[in-house]
Amino acid sequence: MNRWFDIRNKKLIAVLATVLLSACSAIDDDLSDCGVDYELQYELQLVTNMELELETQLTTQVETSVAAALREHLKDIFSDFAHDIDLSFYDVDEKLGRLSHEQHVMNDNEKSYTLYLPMREYRHLALANLQQNSWVTLTGEEHSNTMMLQQVLNEPVQSHQTGIFAARTNMDVLENQSQTFHVNLYMVNCAAVLLLESRGHDAKDVSVVSTGFATGYNVDENTYTFSDNPPLVHADRVDVDEPSVLCYCTVTFPSFETPNPSFASSSGEEVYWQFRVYVKNGDNIVETVMNIKEPLKAGELRIIKGYIDSDGVVRTEDPKVGVSVTLDWGDGGDHQIDL
């Protein structure tokens, strides 16, 4: 009886093996029954000017203490450490949309995963550090050409809470072959800092926003989308030990790489993005618009320095920054600025 059972089992296994081999050898668009284990190696590539910007822009004794505070404030932004990773695999011809989706806690700057997928050619998109970022949402993920990271457009917009990394690659998963795919992820957001000598002005009488940045990121194309009316981004105040300076920071998607048409002026000044500073001066609110004449790119930190004069106007000696002032700004009509 046992011998008959063993023979029967062996015949059944042989039949199943033949059926599976035939199915995986057939020329058919549906290869869902055929697959292999393969290894994917992910590594974050942090390409940034942060340390260079801190070392070259913040050189005085007071400024070096500010640099330490900024390193702490930006430790989750300019970091090659990923908390989480989101993996999507698509049909390269976009006929079938997303074929597989996985999420993992990475907790490292590089990690390997062994995954099983049916053999075919895939378009693979990967994103890191989304789960702890409340102000960026992922949309359109059912197809690779519609997957987008979008800024949450409350008013004012809030700064990103993490450095976001992305990658895209084609993968040809072959039958009966051991394969390893290496995927590098690169940073897609950036940061801007405004450092002001307060010259007697209290922080509660100062409010700062920035504007001119992308509101969306097309993951598959590695391109950014912009609003015709760029939203204002709230600048977080950075706690520093020096009472004579005020420090503000925004973390956003990049600016235009060409002058932003929203900031065109009669002076012909080429403006890429702006800081706008509001200072309560007696019964008036003074608005200083700081027009930055160079782009802010992914992975970059840009520090703008200036001081607040006795009239509440922000002054700067930076030749790449133009300034326009409204001494009696009021509430501006369109946006509420908290002072």
Side-chain angles (χ1 to χ4, degrees):
M1 187 71 167
N2 288 340
R3 183 166 178 259
W4 175 84
F5 184 76
D6 289 342
I7 293 172
R8 183 179 176 185
N9 263 355
K10 289 176 181 177
K11 288 182 177 179
L12 178 60
I13 291 170
V15 169
L16 286 174
T18 301
V19 170
L20 289 174
L21 182 60
S22 299
C24 288
S25 299
I27 299 176
D28 196 318
D29 286 339
D30 184 7
L31 303 175
S32 58
D33 293 329
C34 316
V36 293
D37 288 328
Y38 62 94
E39 184 179 16
L40 270 168
Q41 298 176 345
Y42 295 92
E43 184 174 359
L44 270 66
Q45 301 289 336
L46 180 61
V47 181
T48 178
N49 71 328
M50 186 187 80
E51 283 301 323
L52 179 63
E53 186 76 356
L54 292 174
E55 291 171 4
T56 57
Q57 293 297 318
L58 305 179
T59 56
T60 69
Q61 184 175 353
V62 169
E63 290 174 347
T64 53
S65 68
V66 173
L70 282 172
R71 287 188 180 93
E72 175 63 23
H73 184 78
L74 295 169
K75 68 182 189 308
D76 294 327
I77 308 301
F78 295 103
S79 169
D80 63 356
F81 185 91
H83 171 267
D84 53 90
I85 192 164
D86 186 289
L87 312 176
S88 293
F89 302 87
Y90 300 88
D91 175 49
V92 290
D93 295 326
E94 282 297 328
K95 295 177 182 177
L96 304 177
R98 186 159 67 179
L99 302 174
S100 183
H101 178 228
E102 296 201 11
Q103 293 176 310
H104 297 275
V105 175
M106 191 170 171
N107 278 339
D108 209 334
N109 73 323
E110 57 180 312
K111 187 70 73 77
S112 295
Y113 299 100
T114 300
L115 304 178
Y116 176 90
L117 276 180
M119 61 179 189
R120 66 163 64 238
E121 189 175 1
Y122 294 91
R123 182 63 170 169
H124 174 40
L125 305 182
L127 293 165
N129 288 337
L130 290 183
Q131 291 181 7
Q132 297 178 329
N133 201 328
S134 305
W135 306 115
V136 176
T137 60
L138 180 63
T139 64
E141 58 265 44
E142 289 309 310
H143 292 271
S144 64
N145 61 1
T146 58
M147 180 188 275
M148 177 179 286
L149 294 173
Q150 290 188 318
Q151 177 76 55
V152 177
L153 295 178
N154 53 335
E155 190 174 323
V157 168
Q158 300 299 312
S159 286
H160 300 179
Q161 297 155 303
T162 61
I164 304 172
F165 289 74
R168 66 215 51 80
T169 187
N170 283 0
M171 298 168 44
D172 193 3
V173 177
L174 304 175
E175 181 182 2
N176 298 325
Q177 290 193 28
S178 176
Q179 294 175 274
T180 299
F181 299 95
H182 191 85
V183 182
N184 290 320
L185 295 96
Y186 293 90
M187 193 172 178
V188 302
N189 48 359
C190 54
V193 169
L194 179 61
L195 182 62
L196 297 173
E197 291 182 44
S198 61
R199 301 207 175 173
H201 291 273
D202 196 296
K204 71 177 185 297
D205 293 332
V206 180
S207 182
V208 179
V209 296
S210 64
T211 187
F213 305 107
T215 57
Y217 173 70
N218 302 300
V219 181
D220 191 28
E221 297 177 357
N222 189 28
T223 59
Y224 295 90
T225 58
F226 293 82
S227 170
D228 290 337
N229 184 23
L232 301 180
V233 182
H234 172 73
D236 296 320
R237 189 176 171 216
V238 180
D239 290 329
V240 297
D241 292 333
E242 298 294 337
S244 63
V245 296
L246 302 174
C247 186
Y248 300 88
C249 180
T250 57
V251 181
T252 64
F253 290 127
S255 70
F256 269 114
E257 291 197 13
T258 57
N260 194 317
S262 301
F263 304 141
S265 66
S266 57
S267 65
E269 195 172 51
E270 292 188 343
V271 179
Y272 292 81
W273 55 280
Q274 297 175 335
F275 270 123
R276 299 182 186 179
V277 186
Y278 301 88
V279 179
K280 188 175 182 181
N281 189 46
D283 294 331
N284 294 334
I285 295 176
V286 179
E287 179 195 51
T288 303
V289 178
M290 307 183 75
N291 296 306
I292 289 79
K293 304 174 186 178
E294 61 181 10
L296 184 61
K297 301 179 182 180
E300 287 187 345
L301 170 66
R302 179 74 165 93
I303 299 174
I304 306 294
K305 297 193 295 183
Y307 65 91
I308 306 174
D309 72 10
S310 59
D311 295 322
V313 176
V314 175
R315 307 291 184 182
T316 181
E317 297 177 357
D318 191 330
K320 295 181 179 178
V321 181
V323 172
S324 63
V325 178
T326 304
L327 291 175
D328 188 6
W329 177 77
D331 64 2
D334 295 324
H335 302 285
Q336 182 65 43
I337 302 297
D338 294 327
L339 286 171

